[in-house]
Amino acid sequence: MVKETDNYLVDEVMAGHAKAFAVLVERYKDMVFTLSVSLLRDRQEAEEVAQDTFLKVYKALPKFQNKSKFSTWIYRIVYNESISRLRRKKTNLISVEDLSYGELADSFEEMEPEWLEKEERKRKLFEAISLLKEEEKTILMLYYFENCRIDEISDITSLSNENVKTKLFRTRKKLYSILNKVKKKELIDY
Amino acid sequence: MKIYSAMALHDIKSNQELNQELKDIFLNAGKMKTSPDFTQNIMNLIEKESLTNKIVYKPLISTRGWIGIALFILLIFITAMMSVSDSSGQTYEIVQRVNNIFSLKMPLDKLVTAFSRIGTHLLSSMVFISVLGLMGLGVIYSFIYLKIELLRKNQIYHS
């Protein structure tokens, strides 16, 4: 089966075929939700944000002029929506630099040592990601999950290309370090 | 104590290796999943939204309005008819004149005279010209507005 392009589906929706929008939702729902949940750290709220994002996108489709990719556009909307919710909530986010190794290890103490289990791996990855700053999380996920280019990430996060590159470089090491420490600790415990 | 040391880590792994390893980790972990009915919920909301946003055609001039306009035009017509004099200068009775309007026996020349009088009367009436102008503007405005609105809605919502 030939996969329809985003632009084709957008045109279909604009022509009055609302069902084409369901294909777009199916295509992007996981990434939109993943971005939102990692920023908000609340599944229910993240799903609300994801839902609002798609509704916003649907209403704003006539304004979408194919200047950027549809994916870039939708990720920018969910990113901004999540960040503004976060600001409203004034959640006291903990930065990884603020945590000592002891505190970090404690946060993973409840984990079982089945590192190879997929769901466990996912959980651990997202727990490690949750210790990063919002911009760092977004950059990493767009880069690794969606293979977004630097300029696309820059467009979504409103950061300069250079800034994205630098942050990606640093955050990559930071995340790897967190994961490595958790893994080592579990192996010892095991 | 900081939980990581960028410099030390850099010594152990090159950036490229690290990149590849993280790629694998992300690929293996996969994205978060929404609830199973997520897409359906959104489509239901869209359906609901499109229903509440359907265009309800409301005529610019209501039936009462049209009756009023018809009466107004009739009044002008009758007034004009009343002002039509016969050749001897006598004024016709209103009843007679109205009868003549609806009578097939009415002579053609009288009818022409009556209509020309109406035209003159209407054109010389500033109130009527203003009303006519306003009505024309209203019709043009509502036509353009509805056209734009329909185009916009057609683009967004399915019929």
Side-chain angles (χ1 to χ4, degrees), chain A residues 14 16 18 26 30 33-34 43 47 51 58-59 96 99 118 122 144 146 172-173 176-177 181, chain B residues 3-4 9 13 15 18-19 21-22 26 28-29 31-33 35 39 43 45 49 155-156 158:
Chain A
M14 300 280 273
E26 277 296 316
D30 286 345
F33 179 63
T34 304
R43 271 193 78 91
E47 197 150 314
Q51 195 169 285
Y58 185 80
K59 285 177 192 169
V96 73
L99 292 171
K118 186 166 181 174
K122 185 186 280 187
Y144 287 112
E146 288 297 283
R172 189 184 278 150
K173 287 176 182 173
Y176 188 81
S177 173
K181 282 186 191 301
Chain B
I3 64 156
Y4 80 100
L9 201 73
K13 271 186 187 294
N15 193 41
L18 214 141
N19 189 27
E21 200 158 329
L22 279 178
F26 273 82
N28 286 327
K31 294 167 199 164
M32 295 282 216
K33 299 279 176 199
S35 57
T39 307
M43 294 316 287
L45 284 168
E49 183 102 354
Q155 280 174 340
I156 303 174
H158 63 93

Side-chain angles (χ1 to χ4, degrees), chain B residues 27-93:
Chain B
L27 192 74
N28 286 327
K31 294 167 199 164
M32 295 282 216
K33 299 279 176 199
T34 56
S35 57
D37 50 356
F38 182 81
T39 307
Q40 193 52 50
N41 286 345
I42 287 175
M43 294 316 287
N44 290 345
L45 284 168
I46 285 170
E47 180 75 21
K48 212 168 151 186
E49 183 102 354
S50 66
L51 284 175
T52 54
N53 280 288
K54 281 255 189 246
I55 299 169
V56 179
Y57 175 71
K58 198 179 167 190
L60 193 70
I61 302 165
S62 64
T63 315
R64 280 186 180 186
W66 281 117
I67 292 169
I69 290 165
L71 285 173
F72 179 69
I73 291 168
L74 192 69
L75 188 73
I76 292 167
F77 190 78
I78 291 166
T79 316
M81 290 299 291
M82 282 169 66
S83 66
V84 175
S85 305
D86 62 1
S87 53
S88 61
Q90 287 178 329
T91 307
Y92 281 56
E93 289 294 325

Side-chain angles (χ1 to χ4, degrees), chain A residues 6-21 24 57-66 70 73, chain B residues 150-159:
Chain A
D6 290 349
N7 285 350
Y8 171 80
L9 290 167
V10 168
D11 289 344
E12 282 290 292
V13 179
M14 300 280 273
H17 305 115
K19 280 183 182 172
F21 193 70
L24 286 169
V57 163
Y58 185 80
K59 285 177 192 169
L61 269 187
K63 290 178 196 163
F64 176 65
Q65 293 166 331
N66 295 336
F70 180 78
W73 184 50
Chain B
L150 274 170
L151 274 172
R152 195 175 69 82
K153 295 284 175 182
N154 278 341
Q155 280 174 340
I156 303 174
Y157 303 109
H158 63 93
S159 57

